[in-house]
Amino acid sequence: SGERILVVDDGRENRDFVVDYILRPNGYRALVARDGREGLEKAIAERPDLILLDLQMPRMNGIEVLQAMHQENLNIPVILMTFHGSEEIAIEVFRLGVRDYVKKPYTIEEMLDAIERNLTETRLRREKEALTERLLLSNRELQRRIKELNVLYKMGKTVTSILDADHLAVRVVEAATYVTGAQEGNLLLAENGKLICRAAKRFADSHARAMRVESQDRLAERVMQTGQAVVLTPEELARARAENPNVPLAVLYTPLVMGERLIGVLGVDNVADGGRPFTEHDGALLSALADYAAIALENARNVSQLVESKEREKQHIRQAFERYVAPSVVGRALERTDAMALGGMRQEISILFADLRGYTTYSEQADPEHVVEMLNQYFRIAADVILAREGTLDKFLGDAVMAIFNAPQPQPDHPYRAVEAALALRQAVEDW
């Protein structure tokens, strides 16, 4: 993990062995000291993650280093390296804060095990500090969001419940001017590569108005290009305002983002004397409202598309079923979707079954193309006759036609409709 480990040993061979064969190959960063005094100074200055400390050294031995560290309140894990592993020394150094010790000569594996054991606490402490900092940041962010949400709750609830696009655009602009205290506001949406102003509130207006006007607003175009909010203060607009009195005193624009798509811009401005500059808090409120608005606008668009899709689906169903069922029957079925359920229903029906006399012999002798042409014409005649009496075409089998009456819609006179269709079919075929 790249921890810094201080090796304090007066023996060069032992220092080099630890650094070159244990620390560096395993990704640790090595610090070295040649005696106890230098080791203490580096411990104070560098605050390493772990110290590998020799016991017998000039200028300060290991125990003296530990005592000095204790006085300096240096809470650094220490592994003692010594030839003397007596119980008395172990007790004394553990009282002084030594976490572990290894006896010389030691293997690479023994030292690595000791290092990993003693770095665990350091890693956990760092993780705890990082988590604590993240928690504090999250709490501060949460407090800020709570304040914003208290203001936006009713606004967002109202906005997201509206499905009519024009009404929604008006309410979004009114909400934007309300939460920011702005004198004017507008909502622009990207449509076919252009920015269209869908609603606006002017200084003289008491309410926002729906509209559909192509916008030439350069600030809005800038927001769409960068995806970043724009805030301009009275000082930044002073020169432009001197040249053109219609320039606002203060401006705040924020993007409307749905997923990764920029769908438009929500802007507010102050134009009259007394209008204040917009603050960072205003930007946060408008940004939060823009999130609500983007979702609501997407919902409204989806609902509109769903309605259109259902209408297309109805039309498709109508066109498909009107080939087999009378248009009036299809219309009633589409109006009463509750009548169409799995399992069907038990009902008395009249069945019309008709086929062509001599078809088998004819089809054996005629060309297939002529047979198909004849059948197509025959089926068209049969379908017209049956559907004219609101029958339902059930199936075609070779030259046979089967139709039912009294389903799916009830027909009290269904036996008469079936007989009348049969007679009409005989006559129509004979005429043909």
Side-chain angles (χ1 to χ4, degrees), residues 368-387:
E369 294 83 359
H370 294 160
V371 174
V372 170
E373 182 180 356
M374 182 274 295
L375 284 177
N376 284 338
Q377 183 64 23
Y378 168 57
F379 290 150
R380 275 195 293 270
I381 294 172
D384 290 343
V385 169
I386 292 166
L387 296 181

Side-chain angles (χ1 to χ4, degrees), residues 17-247:
F17 174 76
V18 172
V19 171
D20 295 336
Y21 292 93
I22 298 176
L23 300 185
R24 287 177 180 166
N26 290 283
Y28 301 109
R29 291 183 290 168
L31 305 170
V32 296
R34 293 165 293 182
D35 56 49
R37 173 65 63 185
E38 185 182 0
L40 178 61
E41 292 172 354
K42 287 197 173 183
I44 295 173
E46 301 288 344
R47 301 296 174 106
D49 299 298
L50 178 66
I51 298 175
L52 305 182
L53 182 64
D54 190 24
L55 183 62
Q56 300 297 333
M57 292 181 295
R59 294 216 292 169
M60 289 182 75
N61 62 32
I63 292 178
E64 290 171 338
V65 172
L66 289 169
Q67 291 171 340
M69 288 175 60
H70 183 70
Q71 292 175 356
E72 294 286 339
N73 292 320
L74 291 179
N75 187 24
I76 302 173
V78 177
I79 298 175
L80 196 66
M81 302 180 294
T82 178
F83 287 107
H84 307 286
S86 67
E87 184 177 347
E88 293 79 8
I89 294 176
I91 292 174
E92 184 174 359
V93 296
F94 276 112
R95 285 175 177 171
L96 291 171
V98 170
R99 306 295 172 85
D100 206 346
Y101 72 97
V102 293
K103 294 180 181 180
K104 296 178 180 180
Y106 48 78
T107 65
I108 293 176
E109 290 74 16
E110 289 173 339
M111 179 58 82
L112 276 176
D113 288 344
I115 289 173
E116 284 297 314
R117 283 197 304 270
N118 288 277
L119 282 177
T120 299
E121 182 179 344
T122 301
R123 292 168 179 165
L124 289 174
R125 185 176 67 251
R126 284 181 175 176
E127 185 177 352
K128 178 184 175 182
E129 291 171 355
L131 288 173
T132 301
E133 181 62 24
R134 285 168 58 190
L135 181 61
L136 291 174
L137 289 173
S138 297
N139 282 338
R140 287 195 290 270
E141 179 69 12
L142 181 61
Q143 290 298 323
R144 187 172 70 87
R145 286 295 180 183
I146 287 174
K147 290 179 181 179
E148 293 177 5
L149 289 174
N150 285 335
V151 177
L152 291 169
Y153 173 71
K154 290 184 179 180
M155 291 292 179
K157 187 175 180 181
T158 302
V159 166
T160 52
S161 65
I162 300 172
L163 297 178
D164 177 74
D166 289 339
H167 186 199
L168 174 60
V170 168
R171 293 304 299 270
V172 168
V173 171
E174 291 183 342
T177 55
Y178 176 79
V179 298
T180 59
Q183 296 168 339
E184 293 189 341
N186 55 81
L187 174 67
L188 303 101
L189 298 181
E191 298 180 8
N192 300 320
K194 298 179 181 179
L195 267 180
I196 306 299
C197 183
R198 296 296 304 273
K201 180 183 181 299
R202 299 294 174 240
F203 181 64
D205 298 335
S206 57
H207 297 286
R209 294 180 294 110
M211 59 183 65
R212 186 179 288 272
V213 179
E214 184 176 351
S215 171
Q216 304 296 330
D217 193 323
R218 288 182 295 175
L219 284 178
E221 292 174 358
R222 174 178 161 189
V223 173
M224 288 297 293
Q225 290 171 357
T226 64
Q228 301 295 320
V230 172
V231 184
L232 296 177
T233 64
E235 292 76 18
E236 293 170 316
L237 292 168
R239 178 179 295 179
R241 189 171 172 80
E243 297 175 358
N244 182 359
N246 294 324
V247 172

Side-chain angles (χ1 to χ4, degrees), residues 253-282:
Y253 279 49
T254 193
L256 294 171
V257 182
M258 190 64 196
E260 297 182 355
R261 291 187 300 113
L262 265 68
I263 64 172
V265 178
L266 180 59
V268 292
D269 54 65
N270 288 324
V271 295
D273 293 338
R276 62 178 179 81
F278 295 106
T279 65
E280 183 179 347
H281 184 65
D282 294 325

Side-chain angles (χ1 to χ4, degrees), residues 268-399:
V268 292
D269 54 65
N270 288 324
V271 295
D273 293 338
R276 62 178 179 81
F278 295 106
T279 65
E280 183 179 347
H281 184 65
D282 294 325
L285 291 173
L286 192 65
S287 175
L289 179 62
D291 291 340
Y292 281 119
I295 295 171
L297 289 165
E298 189 73 6
N299 286 345
R301 186 181 69 85
N302 289 338
V303 169
S304 177
Q305 289 181 345
L306 181 61
V307 170
E308 292 177 3
S309 175
K310 283 201 168 193
E311 286 301 318
R312 288 195 300 269
E313 184 180 353
K314 267 189 175 183
Q315 189 62 28
H316 178 71
I317 292 173
R318 184 183 298 275
Q319 291 172 352
F321 277 89
E322 281 182 353
R323 298 168 59 189
Y324 306 99
V325 182
S328 59
V329 176
V330 177
R332 288 196 294 268
L334 288 174
E335 291 170 5
R336 291 194 56 202
T337 56
D338 58 318
M340 304 179 70
L342 290 175
M345 60 183 177
R346 179 178 291 271
Q347 184 164 314
E348 179 187 275
I349 62 173
S350 294
I351 301 175
L352 166 62
F353 189 86
D355 61 1
L356 294 173
R357 180 184 294 118
Y359 170 75
T360 303
T361 302
Y362 167 75
S363 62
E364 289 174 350
Q365 297 172 355
D367 292 334
E369 294 83 359
H370 294 160
V371 174
V372 170
E373 182 180 356
M374 182 274 295
L375 284 177
N376 284 338
Q377 183 64 23
Y378 168 57
F379 290 150
R380 275 195 293 270
I381 294 172
D384 290 343
V385 169
I386 292 166
L387 296 181
R389 288 150 184 83
E390 296 190 337
T392 299
L393 286 168
D394 184 74
K395 61 176 65 71
F396 298 119
L397 292 170
D399 64 319

